[in-house]
Structures are given as structure tokens and as C-alpha cells.
Amino acid sequence: MAPTAAEQSKQHTQKAVGLAARDASGHLTPLAITRRSTGDDDVQIKILYCGICHSDLHSIKNDWKDATYPVIPGHEIAGEVTEVGKNVTRFKAGDRVGVGCMVNSCQSCESCDKGFENHCPGVIFTYNRVDRDGTFTYGGYSSMVVVHERFVVRFPDAMPLDKGAPLLCAGITVYSPMKYHGLNVPGMHLGVLGLGGLGHVAVKLGKAFGMKVTVISSSPGKKQEALERLGADAFVVSKNADEMKAAMSTMDGIINTVSANIPMAPLFGLLKPNGKMVMVGLPEKPVEVPPFALVAKNKTLSGSFIGGMSDTQEMLDLAAKHGVTADIEVISAEYVNTAMERLAKADVRYRFVIDIGNTLDKAAALPPSD
């Protein structure tokens, strides 16, 4: 019998190295791994930078109870093409590219056909999943990756790899709901709830769309940064009753990036009639929604989950055109565990990005495989 795809994949592999968590402590140490050889539809990428998303921290600590160790996290990958398969037409060696939260899908369902691979029942995430060929997916805290062409995006010339990497998760996560909920119209008033990795990009994209942007935060200390550094038009302290009252019924929509359980009724009060709140954060407990807060003024609460590949490319192109990048702190691979400790305390403005290309080899020193 001919070997299965999984068996072939194991026979034809290439060596790589990554930073892996071996258990729920989440401590990351070097691990030698293999990647599949570049298939006919694949793009091989030398990873130069990888952003650290809060999801990475949840995953390595098994907060969502779905970790299969070892876990090599990272889904904000930026690098350079080193090889392409014979069927690849969109990329060539030397191209600057990125990989976000997905590396595969069924590519044939209704969602995939419409460009919403993120909604595919068979979506394969960039790490901690089994790919269609039977190999296990490892993320971007690693030296290289091989990905199907469909799930690779091109970095515009004006977009730096390090500051652009976080847009592959944070950027598309806030861009997609703005686009599909009509919160991208010049002159509209957009509220951004929470000023972290997602929120600061939402502010910048909102301004790129020509909107009035108000940051809603429980932290008064972020006001100056929101207004002066990020370009927000206004700042409302959510715990200040007078400020909340003054902002009542003024916003067309709110992008809710907060992952904490907070009272929702006062936030719905900020929306105009027919206003929309879109949740992109993931609170641990169920959200309590007073029905009257929605029904009385025809308001909407919805959710949004990353975005499809064509929208991701569209987002990158728009961001480059308007000079939108993430605010980052570039770190070495050796610093990654300290960065995770700081991230857990929200001690970052606003995204850590690992300098994989210049520091991973030193941190890893080509360890033996476990």
C-alpha cells in the first residue's frame, strides 16, 4: 500500500527549533522540532519576528483546557519566504510575508468559499492543533514554518515586519467587526472599550477610517496616552458616573476588547438608538445582559472572531496606507518567560514582539529533541 499523507509527511521533514511549554507551568524552553517539507501548494518561511498574544499565555498554561503539550505558541508571524511549491503563484523566495491565527481549513465549505476561513468547521489554528496531513501545528516562537499558500499574507513595502506582526491577530480581530458592522464610516462615533493590545489598534484603525474615537477605560492613567499618543478624540473613565452620564447615547458603536466580566448596562447606555456593541474579548464567565438595555432602543450585541484571509490582507494594506502599526516592545527569545510574567500583569505597551531572527538560535543553542 502507498504511504498515507501523514506517513509521507513524517518521511519528508526538515529540522527547526522552537520555544515550547512542556506542561501547565507555561515555562518556555528550547525544543527541536520537525516541519513538513514544502509541498506543491506550500510556502516555507524563515520567521524573523513573532508577536506575543494574550492567547499564547492562556494556551501554554492550559487555561482553556485544550493544550496538547509540548505547545509552541505564536500566531503573529512575520518573516521571509525561503521556498515555494510548484503550484504557488502569489509568492516567491525573498518576499516579506506573514501568518496569523490559521494555517489551514477544509477550503471547500460555504464559509471557505465566501472567504471566511475563520468560520470553517475544520479550521486549523497555527498551533496546538492537528493539520490535515496529520502533523501537529507549532506556532511562531520557532525558526521556520511551512504553510499552505492560502494562509499566507504579503507585507506591504511600507509595513515594518516587527510593528506589523501583531496586526495579524490584533489588527484583523478589530478590523473585521468594524468592516462588517458598518463601524468604518467617516464621521461616525466609535467607542473602544479597553486600551490594551486590541484596543490600541482599534483606536488607530478607527482614526484611519475617519471616525471620531472615544476610549472607554477603567484606568484614568491611560487618558494622556490615549489622546496624545494614539490619537483618540475623547476619553471616558468607566468608573466615573459623571463622565459616563455625559457620554450617554453618543456612540454609533463600541468595540469591546475587555476580557473581564464587567457591568454591561452602563455601556449599552453609551450607544445611540440602533447602536451596536461587538465583543472581541473573552470574559471567563457568562456575560449578563439586561434585556431592556437592548430592546428599548433597538441596540445590538454581537461577537466577532478574527477574520478571513482576504480581509486580513485588506487590513494590512489599509494599515500600511495610513501608517497604522502596533506599539511594541521588541524582546529577545531569552526574555520570553519574563515577558509572559509581565503580560500576565498587563505590564506592556502594548505588544511584545520576539526578535526571532536575531536571538532564537542563541537562546536555543540547537537543543536535542525531547
Side-chain angles (χ1 to χ4, degrees), residues 50-76:
C50 188
I52 297 180
C53 175
H54 215 286
S55 299
D56 299 345
L57 182 60
H58 286 302
S59 295
I60 61 176
K61 289 187 172 293
N62 200 22
D63 290 340
W64 294 329
K65 307 305 179 187
D66 66 346
T68 301
Y69 294 103
V71 173
I72 296 180
H75 57 208
E76 299 176 348

PDB file of all heavy atoms in Angstrom, residues 50-76:
ATOM      1  N   CYS A  50       7.862  37.410  15.893  1.00  0.00           N
ATOM      2  CA  CYS A  50       6.567  36.853  16.285  1.00  0.00           C
ATOM      3  C   CYS A  50       6.032  37.627  17.482  1.00  0.00           C
ATOM      4  O   CYS A  50       6.723  37.765  18.506  1.00  0.00           O
ATOM      5  CB  CYS A  50       6.667  35.369  16.628  1.00  0.00           C
ATOM      6  SG  CYS A  50       5.042  34.608  16.900  1.00  0.00           S
ATOM      7  N   GLY A  51       4.822  38.148  17.352  1.00  0.00           N
ATOM      8  CA  GLY A  51       4.184  38.846  18.455  1.00  0.00           C
ATOM      9  C   GLY A  51       3.699  37.875  19.518  1.00  0.00           C
ATOM     10  O   GLY A  51       3.452  36.693  19.257  1.00  0.00           O
ATOM     11  N   ILE A  52       3.575  38.378  20.729  1.00  0.00           N
ATOM     12  CA  ILE A  52       3.046  37.591  21.849  1.00  0.00           C
ATOM     13  C   ILE A  52       1.624  38.067  22.134  1.00  0.00           C
ATOM     14  O   ILE A  52       1.408  39.197  22.575  1.00  0.00           O
ATOM     15  CB  ILE A  52       3.917  37.740  23.104  1.00  0.00           C
ATOM     16  CG1 ILE A  52       5.328  37.187  22.852  1.00  0.00           C
ATOM     17  CG2 ILE A  52       3.264  37.031  24.290  1.00  0.00           C
ATOM     18  CD1 ILE A  52       6.255  37.290  24.054  1.00  0.00           C
ATOM     19  N   CYS A  53       0.664  37.197  21.863  1.00  0.00           N
ATOM     20  CA  CYS A  53      -0.742  37.478  22.106  1.00  0.00           C
ATOM     21  C   CYS A  53      -1.131  36.926  23.475  1.00  0.00           C
ATOM     22  O   CYS A  53      -0.541  35.951  23.948  1.00  0.00           O
ATOM     23  CB  CYS A  53      -1.576  36.822  21.003  1.00  0.00           C
ATOM     24  SG  CYS A  53      -3.361  36.962  21.219  1.00  0.00           S
ATOM     25  N   HIS A  54      -2.149  37.527  24.091  1.00  0.00           N
ATOM     26  CA  HIS A  54      -2.605  37.015  25.390  1.00  0.00           C
ATOM     27  C   HIS A  54      -3.100  35.579  25.268  1.00  0.00           C
ATOM     28  O   HIS A  54      -3.039  34.800  26.229  1.00  0.00           O
ATOM     29  CB  HIS A  54      -3.697  37.918  25.962  1.00  0.00           C
ATOM     30  CG  HIS A  54      -3.645  38.035  27.455  1.00  0.00           C
ATOM     31  ND1 HIS A  54      -4.051  37.012  28.293  1.00  0.00           N
ATOM     32  CD2 HIS A  54      -3.218  39.019  28.259  1.00  0.00           C
ATOM     33  CE1 HIS A  54      -3.889  37.392  29.552  1.00  0.00           C
ATOM     34  NE2 HIS A  54      -3.383  38.601  29.565  1.00  0.00           N
ATOM     35  N   SER A  55      -3.568  35.206  24.074  1.00  0.00           N
ATOM     36  CA  SER A  55      -3.986  33.817  23.850  1.00  0.00           C
ATOM     37  C   SER A  55      -2.821  32.853  24.056  1.00  0.00           C
ATOM     38  O   SER A  55      -3.024  31.715  24.498  1.00  0.00           O
ATOM     39  CB  SER A  55      -4.524  33.651  22.427  1.00  0.00           C
ATOM     40  OG  SER A  55      -5.653  34.461  22.207  1.00  0.00           O
ATOM     41  N   ASP A  56      -1.613  33.297  23.712  1.00  0.00           N
ATOM     42  CA  ASP A  56      -0.438  32.442  23.908  1.00  0.00           C
ATOM     43  C   ASP A  56      -0.265  32.089  25.377  1.00  0.00           C
ATOM     44  O   ASP A  56       0.034  30.948  25.735  1.00  0.00           O
ATOM     45  CB  ASP A  56       0.825  33.145  23.401  1.00  0.00           C
ATOM     46  CG  ASP A  56       0.783  33.463  21.917  1.00  0.00           C
ATOM     47  OD1 ASP A  56      -0.079  32.899  21.210  1.00  0.00           O
ATOM     48  OD2 ASP A  56       1.606  34.286  21.472  1.00  0.00           O
ATOM     49  N   LEU A  57      -0.462  33.087  26.230  1.00  0.00           N
ATOM     50  CA  LEU A  57      -0.326  32.870  27.668  1.00  0.00           C
ATOM     51  C   LEU A  57      -1.397  31.899  28.166  1.00  0.00           C
ATOM     52  O   LEU A  57      -1.108  30.980  28.937  1.00  0.00           O
ATOM     53  CB  LEU A  57      -0.424  34.214  28.400  1.00  0.00           C
ATOM     54  CG  LEU A  57      -0.260  34.197  29.917  1.00  0.00           C
ATOM     55  CD1 LEU A  57       1.098  33.643  30.328  1.00  0.00           C
ATOM     56  CD2 LEU A  57      -0.448  35.617  30.486  1.00  0.00           C
ATOM     57  N   HIS A  58      -2.639  32.099  27.721  1.00  0.00           N
ATOM     58  CA  HIS A  58      -3.710  31.170  28.103  1.00  0.00           C
ATOM     59  C   HIS A  58      -3.390  29.747  27.648  1.00  0.00           C
ATOM     60  O   HIS A  58      -3.635  28.776  28.363  1.00  0.00           O
ATOM     61  CB  HIS A  58      -5.035  31.605  27.479  1.00  0.00           C
ATOM     62  CG  HIS A  58      -5.649  32.805  28.125  1.00  0.00           C
ATOM     63  ND1 HIS A  58      -5.978  32.851  29.456  1.00  0.00           N
ATOM     64  CD2 HIS A  58      -6.011  34.014  27.610  1.00  0.00           C
ATOM     65  CE1 HIS A  58      -6.510  34.027  29.749  1.00  0.00           C
ATOM     66  NE2 HIS A  58      -6.539  34.751  28.640  1.00  0.00           N
ATOM     67  N   SER A  59      -2.850  29.630  26.435  1.00  0.00           N
ATOM     68  CA  SER A  59      -2.614  28.312  25.856  1.00  0.00           C
ATOM     69  C   SER A  59      -1.511  27.548  26.576  1.00  0.00           C
ATOM     70  O   SER A  59      -1.658  26.363  26.880  1.00  0.00           O
ATOM     71  CB  SER A  59      -2.271  28.445  24.373  1.00  0.00           C
ATOM     72  OG  SER A  59      -3.372  28.966  23.652  1.00  0.00           O
ATOM     73  N   ILE A  60      -0.391  28.215  26.840  1.00  0.00           N
ATOM     74  CA  ILE A  60       0.724  27.499  27.458  1.00  0.00           C
ATOM     75  C   ILE A  60       0.409  27.101  28.899  1.00  0.00           C
ATOM     76  O   ILE A  60       0.951  26.129  29.408  1.00  0.00           O
ATOM     77  CB  ILE A  60       2.043  28.303  27.392  1.00  0.00           C
ATOM     78  CG1 ILE A  60       1.923  29.636  28.145  1.00  0.00           C
ATOM     79  CG2 ILE A  60       2.463  28.523  25.956  1.00  0.00           C
ATOM     80  CD1 ILE A  60       3.224  30.438  28.189  1.00  0.00           C
ATOM     81  N   LYS A  61      -0.513  27.832  29.539  1.00  0.00           N
ATOM     82  CA  LYS A  61      -0.912  27.490  30.909  1.00  0.00           C
ATOM     83  C   LYS A  61      -2.164  26.611  30.944  1.00  0.00           C
ATOM     84  O   LYS A  61      -2.689  26.309  32.011  1.00  0.00           O
ATOM     85  CB  LYS A  61      -1.127  28.778  31.716  1.00  0.00           C
ATOM     86  CG  LYS A  61       0.177  29.508  32.020  1.00  0.00           C
ATOM     87  CD  LYS A  61      -0.034  30.679  32.956  1.00  0.00           C
ATOM     88  CE  LYS A  61       1.280  31.287  33.402  1.00  0.00           C
ATOM     89  NZ  LYS A  61       2.064  30.375  34.258  1.00  0.00           N
ATOM     90  N   ASN A  62      -2.650  26.240  29.769  1.00  0.00           N
ATOM     91  CA  ASN A  62      -3.818  25.370  29.641  1.00  0.00           C
ATOM     92  C   ASN A  62      -5.051  25.941  30.324  1.00  0.00           C
ATOM     93  O   ASN A  62      -5.890  25.206  30.862  1.00  0.00           O
ATOM     94  CB  ASN A  62      -3.523  23.965  30.202  1.00  0.00           C
ATOM     95  CG  ASN A  62      -4.489  22.918  29.656  1.00  0.00           C
ATOM     96  OD1 ASN A  62      -5.095  23.107  28.603  1.00  0.00           O
ATOM     97  ND2 ASN A  62      -4.637  21.829  30.388  1.00  0.00           N
ATOM     98  N   ASP A  63      -5.191  27.264  30.273  1.00  0.00           N
ATOM     99  CA  ASP A  63      -6.357  27.904  30.881  1.00  0.00           C
ATOM    100  C   ASP A  63      -7.655  27.478  30.198  1.00  0.00           C
ATOM    101  O   ASP A  63      -8.726  27.483  30.818  1.00  0.00           O
ATOM    102  CB  ASP A  63      -6.223  29.427  30.800  1.00  0.00           C
ATOM    103  CG  ASP A  63      -5.142  29.973  31.708  1.00  0.00           C
ATOM    104  OD1 ASP A  63      -4.755  29.267  32.662  1.00  0.00           O
ATOM    105  OD2 ASP A  63      -4.666  31.097  31.467  1.00  0.00           O
ATOM    106  N   TRP A  64      -7.585  27.133  28.924  1.00  0.00           N
ATOM    107  CA  TRP A  64      -8.782  26.734  28.175  1.00  0.00           C
ATOM    108  C   TRP A  64      -8.945  25.223  28.105  1.00  0.00           C
ATOM    109  O   TRP A  64      -9.816  24.717  27.392  1.00  0.00           O
ATOM    110  CB  TRP A  64      -8.730  27.345  26.766  1.00  0.00           C
ATOM    111  CG  TRP A  64      -8.821  28.836  26.775  1.00  0.00           C
ATOM    112  CD1 TRP A  64      -9.493  29.612  27.674  1.00  0.00           C
ATOM    113  CD2 TRP A  64      -8.219  29.748  25.850  1.00  0.00           C
ATOM    114  NE1 TRP A  64      -9.366  30.942  27.360  1.00  0.00           N
ATOM    115  CE2 TRP A  64      -8.590  31.065  26.250  1.00  0.00           C
ATOM    116  CE3 TRP A  64      -7.417  29.587  24.717  1.00  0.00           C
ATOM    117  CZ2 TRP A  64      -8.168  32.201  25.557  1.00  0.00           C
ATOM    118  CZ3 TRP A  64      -6.999  30.729  24.029  1.00  0.00           C
ATOM    119  CH2 TRP A  64      -7.375  32.005  24.432  1.00  0.00           C
ATOM    120  N   LYS A  65      -8.096  24.493  28.827  1.00  0.00           N
ATOM    121  CA  LYS A  65      -8.206  23.032  28.988  1.00  0.00           C
ATOM    122  C   LYS A  65      -8.161  22.279  27.651  1.00  0.00           C
ATOM    123  O   LYS A  65      -8.788  21.235  27.495  1.00  0.00           O
ATOM    124  CB  LYS A  65      -9.506  22.674  29.732  1.00  0.00           C
ATOM    125  CG  LYS A  65      -9.697  23.409  31.047  1.00  0.00           C
ATOM    126  CD  LYS A  65      -8.527  23.226  31.996  1.00  0.00           C
ATOM    127  CE  LYS A  65      -8.708  23.992  33.300  1.00  0.00           C
ATOM    128  NZ  LYS A  65      -7.503  23.960  34.159  1.00  0.00           N
ATOM    129  N   ASP A  66      -7.392  22.797  26.705  1.00  0.00           N
ATOM    130  CA  ASP A  66      -7.285  22.095  25.421  1.00  0.00           C
ATOM    131  C   ASP A  66      -5.835  21.950  24.959  1.00  0.00           C
ATOM    132  O   ASP A  66      -5.584  21.615  23.800  1.00  0.00           O
ATOM    133  CB  ASP A  66      -8.096  22.824  24.341  1.00  0.00           C
ATOM    134  CG  ASP A  66      -7.529  24.197  24.010  1.00  0.00           C
ATOM    135  OD1 ASP A  66      -6.674  24.709  24.772  1.00  0.00           O
ATOM    136  OD2 ASP A  66      -7.938  24.773  22.968  1.00  0.00           O
ATOM    137  N   ALA A  67      -4.877  22.188  25.857  1.00  0.00           N
ATOM    138  CA  ALA A  67      -3.473  22.135  25.462  1.00  0.00           C
ATOM    139  C   ALA A  67      -3.013  20.696  25.265  1.00  0.00           C
ATOM    140  O   ALA A  67      -3.336  19.812  26.059  1.00  0.00           O
ATOM    141  CB  ALA A  67      -2.595  22.823  26.504  1.00  0.00           C
ATOM    142  N   THR A  68      -2.269  20.480  24.186  1.00  0.00           N
ATOM    143  CA  THR A  68      -1.578  19.213  23.956  1.00  0.00           C
ATOM    144  C   THR A  68      -0.089  19.520  23.963  1.00  0.00           C
ATOM    145  O   THR A  68       0.422  20.141  23.035  1.00  0.00           O
ATOM    146  CB  THR A  68      -1.984  18.589  22.605  1.00  0.00           C
ATOM    147  OG1 THR A  68      -3.402  18.362  22.605  1.00  0.00           O
ATOM    148  CG2 THR A  68      -1.261  17.265  22.392  1.00  0.00           C
ATOM    149  N   TYR A  69       0.584  19.142  25.036  1.00  0.00           N
ATOM    150  CA  TYR A  69       1.991  19.501  25.192  1.00  0.00           C
ATOM    151  C   TYR A  69       2.891  18.552  24.410  1.00  0.00           C
ATOM    152  O   TYR A  69       2.542  17.381  24.240  1.00  0.00           O
ATOM    153  CB  TYR A  69       2.352  19.500  26.678  1.00  0.00           C
ATOM    154  CG  TYR A  69       1.648  20.575  27.470  1.00  0.00           C
ATOM    155  CD1 TYR A  69       0.564  20.272  28.292  1.00  0.00           C
ATOM    156  CD2 TYR A  69       2.051  21.908  27.374  1.00  0.00           C
ATOM    157  CE1 TYR A  69      -0.099  21.256  29.013  1.00  0.00           C
ATOM    158  CE2 TYR A  69       1.401  22.906  28.093  1.00  0.00           C
ATOM    159  CZ  TYR A  69       0.331  22.582  28.905  1.00  0.00           C
ATOM    160  OH  TYR A  69      -0.315  23.559  29.603  1.00  0.00           O
ATOM    161  N   PRO A  70       4.032  19.054  23.925  1.00  0.00           N
ATOM    162  CA  PRO A  70       4.533  20.421  24.084  1.00  0.00           C
ATOM    163  C   PRO A  70       3.801  21.416  23.176  1.00  0.00           C
ATOM    164  O   PRO A  70       3.419  21.068  22.054  1.00  0.00           O
ATOM    165  CB  PRO A  70       6.001  20.298  23.666  1.00  0.00           C
ATOM    166  CG  PRO A  70       6.023  19.164  22.703  1.00  0.00           C
ATOM    167  CD  PRO A  70       4.990  18.198  23.183  1.00  0.00           C
ATOM    168  N   VAL A  71       3.616  22.627  23.684  1.00  0.00           N
ATOM    169  CA  VAL A  71       2.975  23.704  22.938  1.00  0.00           C
ATOM    170  C   VAL A  71       4.026  24.743  22.565  1.00  0.00           C
ATOM    171  O   VAL A  71       4.713  25.279  23.439  1.00  0.00           O
ATOM    172  CB  VAL A  71       1.860  24.375  23.769  1.00  0.00           C
ATOM    173  CG1 VAL A  71       1.315  25.602  23.032  1.00  0.00           C
ATOM    174  CG2 VAL A  71       0.734  23.395  24.065  1.00  0.00           C
ATOM    175  N   ILE A  72       4.161  25.005  21.277  1.00  0.00           N
ATOM    176  CA  ILE A  72       4.964  26.141  20.800  1.00  0.00           C
ATOM    177  C   ILE A  72       3.976  27.183  20.305  1.00  0.00           C
ATOM    178  O   ILE A  72       3.335  26.992  19.268  1.00  0.00           O
ATOM    179  CB  ILE A  72       5.929  25.728  19.672  1.00  0.00           C
ATOM    180  CG1 ILE A  72       6.955  24.733  20.191  1.00  0.00           C
ATOM    181  CG2 ILE A  72       6.622  26.960  19.082  1.00  0.00           C
ATOM    182  CD1 ILE A  72       7.959  24.262  19.150  1.00  0.00           C
ATOM    183  N   PRO A  73       3.783  28.260  21.053  1.00  0.00           N
ATOM    184  CA  PRO A  73       2.750  29.234  20.695  1.00  0.00           C
ATOM    185  C   PRO A  73       3.230  30.215  19.622  1.00  0.00           C
ATOM    186  O   PRO A  73       4.337  30.100  19.096  1.00  0.00           O
ATOM    187  CB  PRO A  73       2.488  29.941  22.023  1.00  0.00           C
ATOM    188  CG  PRO A  73       3.787  29.863  22.761  1.00  0.00           C
ATOM    189  CD  PRO A  73       4.454  28.588  22.318  1.00  0.00           C
ATOM    190  N   GLY A  74       2.352  31.174  19.324  1.00  0.00           N
ATOM    191  CA  GLY A  74       2.708  32.245  18.403  1.00  0.00           C
ATOM    192  C   GLY A  74       1.911  32.234  17.116  1.00  0.00           C
ATOM    193  O   GLY A  74       2.073  31.342  16.288  1.00  0.00           O
ATOM    194  N   HIS A  75       1.015  33.243  16.962  1.00  0.00           N
ATOM    195  CA  HIS A  75       0.242  33.349  15.717  1.00  0.00           C
ATOM    196  C   HIS A  75       0.255  34.774  15.164  1.00  0.00           C
ATOM    197  O   HIS A  75      -0.714  35.210  14.534  1.00  0.00           O
ATOM    198  CB  HIS A  75      -1.183  32.803  15.897  1.00  0.00           C
ATOM    199  CG  HIS A  75      -1.981  33.454  16.992  1.00  0.00           C
ATOM    200  ND1 HIS A  75      -2.981  32.781  17.656  1.00  0.00           N
ATOM    201  CD2 HIS A  75      -1.946  34.702  17.520  1.00  0.00           C
ATOM    202  CE1 HIS A  75      -3.536  33.597  18.548  1.00  0.00           C
ATOM    203  NE2 HIS A  75      -2.931  34.766  18.471  1.00  0.00           N
ATOM    204  N   GLU A  76       1.345  35.457  15.416  1.00  0.00           N
ATOM    205  CA  GLU A  76       1.575  36.768  14.818  1.00  0.00           C
ATOM    206  C   GLU A  76       2.970  36.729  14.183  1.00  0.00           C
ATOM    207  O   GLU A  76       3.926  37.303  14.686  1.00  0.00           O
ATOM    208  CB  GLU A  76       1.475  37.867  15.883  1.00  0.00           C
ATOM    209  CG  GLU A  76       0.102  37.934  16.540  1.00  0.00           C
ATOM    210  CD  GLU A  76      -0.001  38.961  17.667  1.00  0.00           C
ATOM    211  OE1 GLU A  76       1.039  39.483  18.113  1.00  0.00           O
ATOM    212  OE2 GLU A  76      -1.130  39.241  18.101  1.00  0.00           O
TER     213      GLU A  76
END
